[in-house]
Amino acid sequence: MAERHTFTPVQILAMLFSRLKQTAEKSLETPVSDCVIGIPSYFTDLQRRHYLDAAEIAGLKLLRLMHDCTATALGYGIYKSNFFNSDATYVVFVDIGHSDTQVAVSCVLKVTIYLLSLVIDETVFASAQWVDPIESRYEEEVSRAQATRDLFDSIVDFCMAAESLPAAKKDAVLTERNEAEQWLRDKMQQEDSLPKNVDPVLLSSNLRRKIEALDGYYSE
């Protein structure tokens, strides 16, 4: 374990291919030998040869190197049988990878898929400028969902508790409950049509204020 080893990039790539081969064989429950490997379209001839060598080391018979966007378009078109009812359907694929961004325009016909245009930018990739907003959006969605559940729980609890209140307070609680429920339904319907750049935290804060308004009836 204390020994030092030096590996070339081709050897490391071969290790990855070997692992993928094992995973595929376990999933398919059959030996795997033939394969097609996707590569970026800007790969040089030397880089392509390295992939060929790595596949051979891993015990794979490489049938073809295929551009990433071509493979994506092919996989997409195969399962879109509803496209066959039209003369041509144009689809744009955006691939934001760890080291580049590729945008491809394809034309899907009944028996053929054409890759019409491809643009690559190696300066834009899935770094913090993409990941952070996505993570923040997820956290905001979780916060909003929790606030929504809180409000629903409060509405149910207060409606049940209202049965034991004096008539005046009971009517007030039920009125607030109905208003809160209707407000929530309206907000949920609006959310379906709002653009994605609307701050979802705003809804959470409004939900919280409604809960506090209901709590107020029990602090008097």
Side-chain angles (χ1 to χ4, degrees), residues 9 19 31 44 56 63-64 66 80 82 94 112 140 150 204:
R19 179 61 178 174
T44 64
E56 184 177 357
L63 303 178
R64 184 185 182 94
M66 181 178 293
K80 290 294 182 179
N82 56 316
V94 180
T112 309
E140 292 166 353
D150 290 344
S204 293

Side-chain angles (χ1 to χ4, degrees), residues 10-91:
V10 173
Q11 290 174 317
I12 295 175
L13 184 59
M15 295 176 192
L16 172 62
F17 287 163
S18 296
R19 179 61 178 174
L20 293 175
K21 182 176 183 293
Q22 294 172 7
T23 302
E25 290 177 338
K26 183 177 180 180
S27 176
L28 299 173
E29 298 182 348
T30 185
V32 173
S33 58
D34 297 347
C35 70
V36 175
I37 298 178
I39 60 171
S41 59
Y42 55 80
F43 262 19
T44 64
D45 184 65
L46 179 60
Q47 289 172 312
R48 295 166 192 260
R49 290 182 182 277
H50 285 167
Y51 268 64
L52 294 174
D53 293 340
E56 184 177 357
I57 294 173
L60 292 169
K61 181 182 178 182
L62 183 56
L63 303 178
R64 184 185 182 94
L65 290 175
M66 181 178 293
H67 292 166
D68 290 339
C69 290
T70 302
T72 301
L74 180 62
Y76 186 80
I78 286 176
Y79 298 103
K80 290 294 182 179
S81 58
N82 56 316
F83 286 171
F84 298 165
N85 299 325
S86 59
D87 294 334
T89 300
Y90 298 92
V91 185

Side-chain angles (χ1 to χ4, degrees), residues 13-14 18 24-25 27 41 49-50 58 60 71 83 92 104 109 116-117 119-120 125 138 157 165 167 184 202 207 216:
L13 184 59
S18 296
E25 290 177 338
S27 176
S41 59
R49 290 182 182 277
H50 285 167
L60 292 169
F83 286 171
V92 177
L109 299 174
L116 303 179
S117 178
V119 177
I120 301 169
F125 46 88
Y138 174 75
D157 292 344
L165 292 175
L184 179 60
L202 180 61
L207 289 173

Side-chain angles (χ1 to χ4, degrees), residues 13 86 118 130 137 145 198:
L13 184 59
S86 59
L118 174 64
W130 292 95
R137 176 72 183 183
V198 171

